[in-house]
């Protein structure tokens, strides 16, 4: 891509805005090298990395990449066998640690099933060297200081240094305090020549003995190492020398450990720069609210509501720009300061950004081409004094553009043919546009010449456009109107600014009727276009709503059909299963009854018959009644109300409804007892009259079909406790004085629960464990009141 267009369209300002998000030298180097590419693979890869990084920022609001230093000089020194210092080793350690964090970060994204296109593949190329990184982190702090954990010898030496310094300071403190303070310029301890000294007045230099290491500028103070601490200072210096020697050994050892991995570390540094660069592009896109562009191999541009990236987002006007599909050339006409130049720059700069792998300031669905070259002749110099040089400069640029342009070129021309005689300028402009069209280039040109309006109307693959101007407010709106040529607003503006009407009328009379008709036609066309756009927006909204509704209805209908088929199949399968289960259970019950009947010398007990009948009754499945009037009346007749006579089906006892205590629960008077019964166990009945009652008799205990024994073995705790409660009620109604509850031994939980229940039940007189021959501790005999 030629450098002139990058300068003209201010491409470097985009790079400056991205640079604030970079944290690595390699990332900054990649930004410096950033330029538009004409290779589709390169462009798509760069866009994919930008998208991956933007998705990560949206999901995680973080990218685990710290600020890094340039380690290339250190790697070169390692290559020739040099020993690196602590800071240099710490910089390499930071790179290795960052590589590990990035790799773990992307492994976590993979576990979370986050779909990425490119960056996850880069992460797999990182060499983390975990053992070496662990050793470096243990041995070095972030500023390069060698830690005590680097070696046991270094830790021992530093303990000796601290102890010696403590002893030495203790000795010096005893000298500078008390009566000796008068001999000192100041009662402090300081260091000279790496040895601890005290500031002694000149006249008392022999007071403490020892060695003079320095004196003040005035000569009145001498920094003396007292004789009593000379040996301690010597010992301290020896320890410090040992420390330096051990640190140097550790640094030499760490440098040697890194040397075999120079290539891997250099590759990590390069890859981390790629992550940094992708992250910076993503954060810039996030700040700009940019979107990912689609790529058109046929160079068909479509920018939805695009704006210039260097303008304030709140103030920038957004425009739709299309080129390359229905037309190859756009001729934009209209007055100055209307936004023609900024429209050219917006189109050119957005195309450069897209071919650089950057997201673009336009709405989603925007489409860019891939141009081998983008040419721009855009200049803002319009003074009379520079008209000749401006025209010459423009012509020089256009000559170069005509020479190099082809079907893979995008050409942007501002004020084509300006700076010379209007007739000659218009003729040149037409000839230049024809030549560019013949080369196959896609062209957007701005001009003042009215002749080009007719040119754009007559030439194939060419269309007029203009920048909208509000004649009421006398201000441009900066909106691009494709298909509408620009109109002159000089008379209206002059009149509104106060120019006398007779002068405006005289000016109008001097223009040809054809020009006046053309302006009137353009004005009418603009109004009709605005009306058509409003109607289009409304129709599109209705169409979108209708399409959405149609889609929802289609989906719901398909879903309904699928669910209906599934439910039918499930119902058939379930019905077959129930029939099979019911048949199997019924056969088993009938077989048991036959076996009982055929057993010699053994009668069938009443409770066994009742149990078998109950099992058979339970095989019956309730059927939902169809909705018709007769059945609805029958259903209403069966609805329960307070005062109704009911049959309590589990106990086969008649009772009266007292009160509804829940949604499906009633309080029922059963003789002298009040019980809460589930609605499913109640059946509305009509009790006999007094005459009928006199003829009837009470049922005996054998007739109510209540067994004197309740077997709970194999029951769950909650279900068993519910059965105990109901069973005791039934036993009382049957007139039993004593019953047996068989609960088994098991873990003892059920027995314990039954014992607590019986202790709290006022209807229980007493209870005890059954005799050994009747179940022992696995059964409980209950005496009822």
């Amino acid at each position: 891509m030629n450098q002139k267009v990058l300068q003209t369209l201010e491409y470097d300002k985009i790079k400056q805005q991205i640079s604030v998000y970079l944290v690595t030298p390699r990332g900054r180097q990649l930004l410096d090298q950033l330029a538009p590419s004409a290779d589709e693979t390169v462009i798509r890869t760069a866009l994919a990395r930008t998208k991956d990084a933007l998705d990560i920022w949206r999901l995680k609001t973080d990218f685990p990449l710290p600020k890094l230093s340039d380690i290339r000089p250190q790697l070169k020194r390692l290559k020739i066998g040099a020993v690196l210092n602590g800071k240099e080793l710490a910089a390499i350690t930071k790179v290795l640690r960052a590589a590990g964090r990035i790799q773990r970060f992307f492994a976590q994204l993979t576990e979370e099933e986050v779909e990425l296109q490119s960056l996850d593949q880069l992460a797999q190329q990182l060499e983390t060297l975990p053992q070496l990184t662990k050793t470096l982190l243990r041995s070095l702090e972030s500023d390069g200081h060698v830690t005590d954990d680097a070696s046991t010898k270094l830790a021992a030496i530093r303990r000796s240094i601290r102890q010696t310094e403590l002893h030495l300071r203790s000795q010096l403190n005893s000298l500078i305090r008390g009566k000796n303070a008068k001999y000192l310029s100041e009662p402090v301890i300081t260091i000279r020549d790496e040895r601890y000294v005290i500031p002694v007045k000149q006249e008392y230099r022999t007071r403490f003995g020892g060695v003079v290491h320095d004196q003040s500028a005035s000569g009145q103070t001498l920094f003396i190492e007292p004789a009593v601490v000379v040996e301690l200072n010597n010992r301290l210096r020896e320890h410090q020398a040992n420390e330096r020697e051990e640190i140097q050994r550790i640094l030499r050892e760490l440098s040697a450990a890194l040397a075999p991995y120079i290539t891997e570390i250099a590759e990590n540094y390069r890859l981390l720069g790629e992550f940094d660069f992708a992250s910076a592009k993503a954060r810039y896109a996030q700040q700009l609210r940019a979107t990912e562009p689609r790529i058109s191999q046929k160079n068909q541009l479509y920018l939805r509501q695009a704006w210039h990236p260097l303008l304030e987002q709140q103030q920038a006007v957004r425009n739709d720009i299309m080129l390359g599909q229905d037309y190859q050339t756009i001729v934009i006409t209209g007055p100055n300061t209307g936004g023609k130049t900024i429209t050219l720059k917006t189109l050119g700069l957005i195309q450069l950004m897209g071919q650089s792998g950057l997201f673009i300031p336009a709405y989603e669905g925007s489409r860019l081409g891939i141009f081998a070259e983008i040419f721009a002749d855009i200049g803002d110099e319009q003074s009379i004094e520079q008209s000749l040089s401006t025209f010459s400069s423009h012509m020089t640029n256009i000559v170069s553009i005509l020479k190099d342009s082809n079907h893979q070129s995008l050409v942007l021309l501002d004020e084509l043919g300006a700076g010379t005689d209007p007739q000659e300028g218009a003729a040149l402009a037409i000839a230049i546009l024809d030549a560019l069209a013949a080369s196959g280039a896609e062209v957007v040109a701005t001009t003042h010449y009215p002749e080009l309006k007719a040119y754009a109307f007559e030439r194939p693959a060419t269309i007029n456009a203009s920048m909208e101007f509000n004649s009421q407010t006398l201000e441009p709106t900066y909106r691009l109107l494709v298909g509408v040529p620009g109109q002159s607003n000089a008379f209206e503006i002059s009149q509104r600014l106060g120019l006398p009407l007779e002068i405006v009328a005289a000016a109008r009379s001097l223009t040809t009727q054809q020009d006046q008709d053309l302006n009137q036609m353009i004005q009418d066309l603009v109004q009709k276009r605005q009306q058509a756009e409003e109607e289009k927006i409304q129709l599109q909204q209705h169409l979108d709503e209708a399409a959405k509704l149609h889609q929802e209805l289609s989906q719901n209908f398909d879903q309904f059909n699928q669910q209906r088929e599934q439910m039918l199949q499930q119902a058939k399968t379930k019905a077959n299963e129930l029939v099979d289960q019911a048949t199997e259970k019924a056969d088993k019950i009938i077989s048991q009854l036959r076996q009982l009947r055929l057993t010699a010398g053994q009668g069938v007990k009443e409770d066994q018959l009742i149990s078998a009948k109950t099992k058979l009754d339970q095989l019956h499945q309730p059927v939902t009644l169809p909705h018709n009037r007769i059945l609805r009346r029958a259903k209403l007749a069966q609805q329960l109300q307070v005062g109704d006579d009911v049959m309590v089906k589990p106990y086969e006892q008649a009772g009266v409804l007292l009160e509804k205590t829940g949604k499906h629960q009633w309080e029922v008077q059963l003789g002298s007892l009040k019980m809460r019964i589930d609605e499913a166990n109640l059946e509305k009945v009509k009790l006999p009259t007094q005459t009928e009652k006199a003829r009837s008799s009470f049922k005996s205990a054998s007739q109510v079909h209540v067994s004197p024994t309740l077997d709970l073995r194999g029951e769950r705790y909650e279900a068993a406790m519910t059965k105990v409660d109901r069973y005791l009620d039934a036993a009382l109604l049957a007139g039993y004085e004593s019953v047996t509850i068989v609960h088994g031994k098991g873990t003892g939980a059920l027995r314990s629960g039954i014992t607590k229940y019986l202790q709290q039940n006022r209807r229980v007189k007493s209870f005890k464990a059954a005799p050994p021959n009747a179940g022992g501790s696995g059964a409980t005999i209950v005496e009822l009141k």
Side-chain angles (χ1 to χ4, degrees):
M1 196 69 65
N2 65 87
Q3 293 299 313
K4 182 174 177 56
V5 74
L6 302 182
Q7 182 179 359
T8 300
L9 298 178
E10 301 177 294
Y11 181 75
D12 282 344
K13 289 187 178 180
I14 299 295
K15 295 167 70 170
Q16 290 173 10
Q17 292 183 342
I18 297 174
S19 66
V20 298
Y21 300 110
L22 293 167
V23 295
T24 68
R26 175 60 183 167
R28 285 187 282 274
Q29 184 183 12
L30 290 173
L31 179 63
D32 292 339
Q33 298 171 356
L34 180 65
S37 172
D39 188 325
E40 182 179 353
T41 303
V42 172
I43 294 171
R44 291 189 182 278
T45 300
L47 287 172
R49 291 180 180 178
T50 305
K51 183 180 185 304
D52 283 352
L54 186 58
D55 289 343
I56 290 170
W57 273 104
R58 287 170 176 167
L59 288 171
K60 299 293 185 179
T61 64
D62 185 24
F63 208 96
L65 191 63
K67 289 187 177 181
L68 300 177
S69 303
D70 189 353
I71 63 169
R72 289 175 297 175
Q74 291 91 308
L75 295 180
K76 288 181 180 178
R77 293 186 60 213
L78 275 179
K79 196 171 185 179
I80 61 176
V83 177
L84 303 184
N85 60 38
K87 288 185 177 181
E88 292 172 325
L89 288 171
I92 294 177
T93 303
K94 203 169 185 180
V95 170
L96 289 173
R97 188 179 186 185
R101 291 178 63 187
I102 288 291
Q103 196 173 70
R104 289 190 298 273
F105 178 76
F106 278 90
Q108 182 182 356
L109 291 177
T110 301
E111 290 178 2
E112 296 175 1
E113 298 182 353
V114 176
E115 293 186 5
L116 300 175
Q117 302 178 29
S118 180
L119 289 184
D120 54 338
Q121 300 171 16
L122 281 184
Q124 295 174 3
Q125 300 176 27
L126 291 168
E127 292 287 345
T128 56
L129 307 176
Q131 288 300 120
L132 183 55
T133 304
K134 185 177 179 180
T135 301
L136 289 165
L137 289 172
R138 185 184 66 246
S139 304
L140 297 168
E141 294 180 356
S142 59
D143 60 356
H145 175 72
V146 180
T147 66
D148 293 356
D149 295 331
S151 73
T152 54
K153 183 177 180 181
L154 180 61
I157 292 172
R158 286 180 173 171
R159 280 196 301 271
S160 299
I161 290 174
R162 288 191 291 270
Q163 291 172 359
T164 304
E165 285 182 333
L166 185 64
H167 191 194
L168 199 153
R169 284 183 172 276
S170 177
Q171 290 282 353
L172 291 176
N173 278 328
S174 65
L175 292 178
I176 65 176
R177 292 176 181 171
K179 60 182 180 179
N180 289 327
K182 62 184 178 181
Y183 305 117
L184 305 176
S185 300
E186 193 176 356
V188 295
I189 301 171
T190 186
I191 296 176
R192 290 293 186 275
D193 298 331
E194 298 185 3
R195 299 178 76 88
Y196 283 88
V197 297
I198 57 176
V200 181
K201 295 177 180 178
Q202 171 69 27
E203 58 269 28
Y204 302 115
R205 62 182 300 171
T206 60
R207 175 69 185 175
F208 300 97
V211 182
V212 176
H213 287 279
D214 197 4
Q215 67 177 6
S216 65
S218 64
Q220 297 300 312
T221 300
L222 301 177
F223 294 94
I224 297 176
E225 178 185 0
V228 294
V229 296
V230 170
E231 179 59 29
L232 287 173
N233 262 327
N234 289 338
R235 194 185 308 163
L236 178 62
R237 291 293 297 276
E238 182 182 353
H239 291 325
Q240 290 172 341
N242 292 337
E243 179 189 27
R244 287 192 294 271
E245 183 179 346
E246 178 63 13
I247 288 175
Q248 192 62 25
R249 185 195 67 78
I250 293 170
L251 295 177
R252 190 183 306 110
E253 189 177 277
L254 293 176
S255 299
L258 284 171
Y261 302 103
I262 292 174
T263 303
E264 290 82 354
I265 296 171
E267 182 66 8
N268 282 348
Y269 175 75
R270 184 190 70 80
L271 291 172
L272 291 175
E274 295 284 355
F275 286 112
D276 182 31
F277 185 45
S279 175
K281 291 192 296 180
R283 295 184 68 182
Y284 176 65
Q286 201 172 31
Q287 177 265 326
L288 191 62
R289 296 183 181 178
T291 62
E292 180 184 12
R294 300 176 183 174
I295 301 300
S296 168
Q297 295 178 338
K298 296 181 180 180
N299 288 346
Q300 295 177 353
L301 279 68
Y302 172 47
L303 302 182
R304 290 185 62 237
Q305 296 296 289
W307 69 95
H308 197 284
L310 300 180
L311 296 178
E312 288 291 335
Q313 293 187 39
Q314 308 299 331
Q315 300 176 359
V317 176
R318 290 159 169 74
N319 280 306
D320 291 337
I321 305 175
M322 292 163 283
L323 183 65
Q325 184 171 1
D326 297 328
Y327 38 85
Q328 183 181 340
T329 302
I330 301 177
V331 178
I332 306 177
T333 53
N336 287 331
T337 70
K340 299 191 302 296
T341 301
I342 199 66
T343 301
L344 285 184
K345 289 185 174 182
T346 299
L347 171 60
L349 187 53
I350 286 179
Q351 182 63 46
L352 291 176
M353 290 174 66
Q355 289 189 220
S356 302
L358 301 176
F359 279 20
I360 61 172
Y363 286 3
E364 290 184 357
S366 295
R367 185 173 60 245
L368 296 176
I370 301 177
F371 296 99
E373 282 290 353
I374 299 177
F375 300 103
D377 181 60
I378 300 174
D380 295 324
E381 299 178 4
Q382 298 178 8
S383 63
I384 297 175
E385 292 82 0
Q386 294 181 340
S387 61
L388 181 59
S389 60
T390 299
F391 178 75
S392 300
S393 175
H394 284 326
M395 281 300 109
T396 302
N397 290 337
I398 290 173
V399 168
S400 176
I401 292 171
L402 289 171
K403 179 181 177 182
D404 297 328
S405 62
N406 54 39
H407 67 284
Q408 291 185 326
S409 302
L410 173 64
V411 181
L412 308 174
L413 303 174
D414 189 30
E415 299 298 344
L416 180 60
T420 186
D421 178 79
Q423 286 187 335
E424 293 180 355
L428 279 172
I430 292 172
I432 291 169
L433 290 176
D434 282 340
L436 289 172
S439 72
E442 296 184 14
V443 184
V444 181
T446 69
T447 181
H448 281 297
Y449 297 134
E451 291 86 350
L452 267 70
K453 301 176 185 177
Y455 167 85
F457 181 76
E458 295 170 352
R459 290 295 194 275
T462 305
I463 193 169
N464 272 304
S466 61
M467 304 308 297
E468 187 180 51
F469 189 88
N470 190 329
S471 59
Q472 301 298 321
T473 61
L474 304 181
E475 292 180 351
T477 65
Y478 306 106
R479 292 183 64 243
L480 178 66
L481 303 177
V482 179
V484 179
Q487 67 182 70
S488 173
N489 299 286
F491 296 150
E492 289 77 5
I493 294 173
S494 300
Q495 183 174 336
R496 286 186 174 275
L497 292 176
L499 191 67
L501 293 177
E502 58 272 16
I503 297 178
V504 174
R508 288 185 187 275
S509 66
L510 295 176
T511 60
T512 64
Q513 185 62 38
Q514 183 178 2
D515 290 339
Q516 294 182 28
D517 293 343
L518 178 61
N519 280 331
Q520 185 62 41
M521 179 189 68
I522 293 173
Q523 187 174 359
D524 293 342
L525 185 59
V526 170
Q527 292 176 353
K528 291 179 180 179
R529 178 187 175 88
Q530 291 175 345
Q531 183 179 356
E533 285 182 350
E534 292 177 359
E535 292 176 354
K536 178 185 176 182
I537 292 172
Q538 293 178 356
L539 290 173
Q540 187 62 45
Q541 289 177 347
H542 294 322
L543 180 61
D544 292 342
E545 291 174 0
K548 183 178 179 181
L549 180 60
H550 180 267
Q551 183 179 5
E552 290 178 355
L553 288 173
S554 298
Q555 291 176 350
N556 291 337
F557 182 72
D558 293 341
Q559 186 177 3
F560 167 76
N561 286 333
Q562 292 176 3
Q563 289 179 349
R564 184 180 63 177
E565 292 298 326
Q566 290 176 359
M567 292 176 70
L568 284 173
Q569 292 299 325
Q570 291 174 359
K572 291 177 182 178
T573 303
K574 188 66 176 177
N576 292 334
E577 291 176 357
L578 291 174
V579 169
D580 293 341
Q581 293 174 4
T583 303
E584 182 180 353
K585 290 180 180 179
D587 290 343
K588 188 180 294 185
I589 293 168
I590 293 169
S591 176
Q592 291 174 355
L593 289 172
R594 286 176 178 170
Q595 187 67 29
L596 289 172
R597 181 179 297 174
L598 294 175
T599 301
Q602 184 178 4
V604 180
K605 295 181 179 179
E606 186 69 16
D607 63 297
Q608 292 175 326
L609 290 172
I610 293 171
S611 177
K613 182 179 181 300
T614 302
K615 291 179 180 178
L616 284 172
D617 290 341
Q618 288 175 350
L619 298 180
H620 175 73
Q621 299 297 318
V623 180
T624 304
L625 296 176
H627 298 284
N628 57 56
R629 293 182 180 178
I630 298 174
L631 293 175
R632 278 202 298 269
R633 290 173 187 169
K635 188 175 180 180
L636 288 172
Q638 287 298 320
Q639 287 185 350
L640 302 177
Q641 295 180 356
V642 175
D644 283 350
D645 296 319
V646 294
M647 176 63 69
V648 182
K649 290 187 282 188
Y651 310 133
E652 295 191 3
Q653 292 291 326
V656 179
L657 296 180
L658 299 178
E659 180 184 3
K660 192 170 186 178
T661 58
K663 188 174 182 181
H664 299 290
Q665 198 173 56
W666 288 81
E667 186 178 63
V668 184
Q669 181 76 47
L670 290 173
S672 61
L673 295 177
K674 292 182 180 179
M675 300 179 64
R676 291 187 178 182
I677 307 296
D678 192 270
E679 195 172 71
N681 294 324
L682 299 176
E683 182 181 353
K684 191 173 181 181
V685 296
K686 183 178 180 182
L687 293 181
T689 61
Q690 292 294 331
T691 305
E692 292 170 337
K693 286 182 181 179
R695 296 174 184 173
S696 64
S697 60
F698 288 98
K699 293 183 180 180
S700 64
S702 61
Q703 289 174 318
V704 296
H705 308 311
V706 178
S707 173
T709 301
L710 174 64
D711 191 348
L712 300 175
R713 288 175 294 183
E715 296 284 351
R716 294 184 177 274
Y717 181 83
E718 295 295 337
M721 297 307 297
T722 302
K723 286 189 175 182
V724 169
D725 186 60
R726 292 180 177 177
Y727 174 71
L728 292 181
D729 289 342
L732 283 169
L733 290 172
Y736 290 142
E737 296 181 355
S738 174
V739 295
T740 300
I741 300 176
V742 181
H743 43 67
K745 297 179 181 179
T747 60
L750 183 56
R751 179 179 59 189
S752 176
I754 291 173
T755 299
K756 291 180 180 178
Y757 171 79
L758 295 175
Q759 289 173 346
Q760 297 172 0
N761 195 322
R762 293 179 297 177
R763 294 167 293 178
V764 175
K765 185 177 181 181
S766 64
F767 60 91
K768 61 182 178 180
N773 60 352
S777 59
T780 300
I781 297 176
V782 183
E783 297 290 337
L784 301 175
K785 294 181 179 180

